[in-house]
Amino acid sequence: MGATRRRGGSAALALAVVALLALVAACGSKVGENGRFGVVYMDAQGFYAGVKAGMQQEVAALGREPQLLQLNAQGDASKESTFVDQVSAAKVDALILSPASATASVPAIKLAHESGIPVICYNTCISDEAAREFVSAYVLGDPTRFGGLLGERAADYFLSVGKPNPKIAVVNCEFVEVCIQRRHGFEQALHAKLPGAEIVANQEGSTIDEAVDVAERILTAHPDVDAFFGEAGGATMGAVRAVQSRNKVGQTVVFGGDMSTEAAQALAADDVLKGVVDISGIAVGQLAAKAAEQVRTGELATYTVVPAPIELYATPQQGADWLRAHPDGVP
């Protein structure tokens, strides 16, 4: 899961969305004649690029190929809200989004629901109680299992090198609930095998640049840290770069979430990154578009959690295999 901090730009967004909807209306039966889905991404790269590709593949397979009205919200709840207001007024067939916040995103999603727009969450969602009231489907790779696979991998690694009491730092994305659940899963699985393992720091660094700074500060405060756990892609690769820049290769390793070309290359190198758990963005995009169509046709009538597949990549060979299977870098 890729995630970024919330940023401004709502006024410019509103103008862009209004212009887009005006274009749709002007084109009449040509553009959007097969329906329209409003889609919100948290980022334009990595996991979310995969979501976009998967969604486009799935809507093409539907036959009627609904138009996608899309926004990269950059994790900004105000951008997200403006976009949702506009597509709700335009009466799109469904709203598909990874909400920026479990709480701040509720009013916009409530508005879409009350406007008669089915809402499909993927990757993240609003609070469970609100989701059951306002959301039709939630495409989710179990976050506790996600973290648990990395905790098991970390424990097995440290057992293999004879270090039963490792010191581990977390670089997090815990402004979204799924990242908190990933950490809980990681810690439970880690301590089940290594009860002496210690979490020495837990700081937010969701983008790569943020995560590099955070991980470097942690290495300064805890020069004996044995590993980082990156809760999502930016956190993971930021930690890897920090280990490299601080000359800690061979001393500090990284376990983290979300495959990308850079992550697969780092895993194949076998010097810093020792395990990656991934939920394919392409698979999530396909499932989200399919769920939107099922809600539209009445096949899904009540709030439904749609499970997304989770995979562990734990060896250099698996990193190399991923690179061969994803030459375009889209996960």
Side-chain angles (χ1 to χ4, degrees):
M1 181 207 72
T4 57
R5 290 183 184 275
R6 280 67 65 194
R7 296 180 175 88
S10 297
L13 169 68
L15 291 174
V17 173
V18 168
L20 174 60
L21 295 176
L23 173 63
V24 170
C27 292
S29 62
K30 292 183 180 180
V31 178
E33 65 177 345
N34 294 318
R36 289 172 287 168
F37 292 163
V39 186
V40 181
Y41 311 102
M42 272 197 194
D43 203 344
Q45 302 176 7
F47 171 80
Y48 292 96
V51 171
K52 181 176 181 179
M55 205 168 295
Q56 290 171 331
Q57 292 172 14
E58 184 64 26
V59 297
L62 291 174
R64 67 185 188 89
E65 201 164 346
Q67 182 192 21
L68 302 182
L69 305 180
Q70 302 171 99
L71 168 73
N72 172 13
Q74 297 178 300
D76 187 328
S78 64
K79 282 186 177 182
E80 177 185 88
S81 178
T82 300
F83 179 80
V84 173
D85 286 351
Q86 297 294 338
V87 297
S88 296
K91 299 296 183 183
V92 294
D93 297 303
L95 171 65
I96 304 170
L97 79 168
S98 178
S101 169
T103 53
S105 297
V106 171
I109 289 175
K110 180 182 179 183
L111 171 66
H113 172 77
E114 291 178 346
S115 300
I117 311 299
V119 178
I120 291 82
C121 287
Y122 68 90
N123 186 50
T124 63
C125 203
I126 52 178
S127 64
D128 186 63
E129 182 180 358
R132 291 181 180 279
E133 186 174 358
F134 305 127
V135 174
S136 297
Y138 182 9
V139 179
L140 176 67
D142 182 346
T144 302
R145 180 59 179 157
F146 185 108
L149 287 171
L150 284 166
E152 291 170 4
R153 170 60 184 147
D156 290 342
Y157 170 80
F158 284 115
L159 286 171
S160 73
V161 298
K163 184 167 288 210
N165 302 306
K167 294 182 178 181
I168 299 176
V170 179
V171 182
N172 77 56
C173 52
E174 294 185 9
F175 58 85
V176 292
E177 179 66 24
V178 293
C179 290
I180 297 173
Q181 294 171 341
R182 287 179 180 184
R183 176 170 52 80
H184 289 167
F186 177 84
E187 291 178 355
Q188 289 166 7
L190 175 72
H191 289 136
K193 289 189 173 184
L194 294 180
E198 181 183 1
I199 304 297
V200 298
N202 180 16
Q203 298 182 28
E204 183 180 324
S206 57
T207 68
I208 290 182
D209 289 344
E210 290 171 340
V212 170
D213 290 341
V214 166
E216 287 184 342
R217 290 198 300 270
I218 290 173
L219 286 170
T220 298
H222 303 276
D224 58 345
V225 71
D226 297 300
F228 284 100
F229 164 43
E231 292 178 350
T236 300
M237 294 316 303
V240 169
R241 292 185 188 182
V243 169
Q244 293 167 336
S245 68
R246 289 301 179 96
N247 297 316
K248 291 287 187 177
V249 176
Q251 301 173 53
T252 305
V253 296
V254 176
F255 306 90
D258 301 344
M259 280 299 277
S260 63
T261 296
E262 187 179 2
Q265 290 170 339
L267 187 63
D270 196 30
D271 54 358
V272 178
L273 189 59
K274 298 294 183 178
V276 180
V277 166
D278 188 53
I279 301 170
S280 166
I282 292 174
V284 167
Q286 291 171 334
L287 289 169
K290 183 177 181 180
E293 184 68 4
Q294 289 174 324
V295 170
R296 187 191 72 83
T297 61
E299 188 176 342
L300 289 180
T302 59
Y303 174 72
T304 302
V305 175
V306 179
I310 302 172
E311 297 179 89
L312 170 67
Y313 298 85
T315 68
Q317 185 60 54
Q318 288 175 329
D321 290 345
W322 191 94
L323 289 169
R324 281 193 292 272
H326 299 80
D328 58 0
V330 178

